[in-house]
Amino acid sequence: MKKVGRVGGKALLYFEAASTFALAIGLLAARSRTSSATAWRRSSCRHGKAA
């Protein structure tokens, strides 16, 4: 880590934090989209429509 230096260490830390944050947002968005699509399909099935 000494070869990387102080600025390189901060950049690596920022990269890891930003990547983790972006991954969390993506997973939450995919989960909410999937659950709403599933709920829509289930409600349409109750009314006799094809999925």
Side-chain angles (χ1 to χ4, degrees):
M1 189 71 176
K2 193 163 186 155
K3 287 182 181 180
V4 175
R6 188 171 166 180
V7 175
K10 285 184 180 181
L12 184 62
L13 182 66
Y14 175 77
F15 174 76
E16 290 291 333
S19 298
T20 303
F21 185 67
L23 179 63
I25 290 174
L27 288 173
L28 288 172
R31 179 174 233 178
S32 68
R33 181 180 166 99
T34 304
S35 63
S36 64
T38 304
W40 180 80
R41 257 189 244 136
R42 287 182 184 160
S43 68
S44 67
C45 287
R46 288 186 199 133
H47 300 295
K49 297 178 185 173

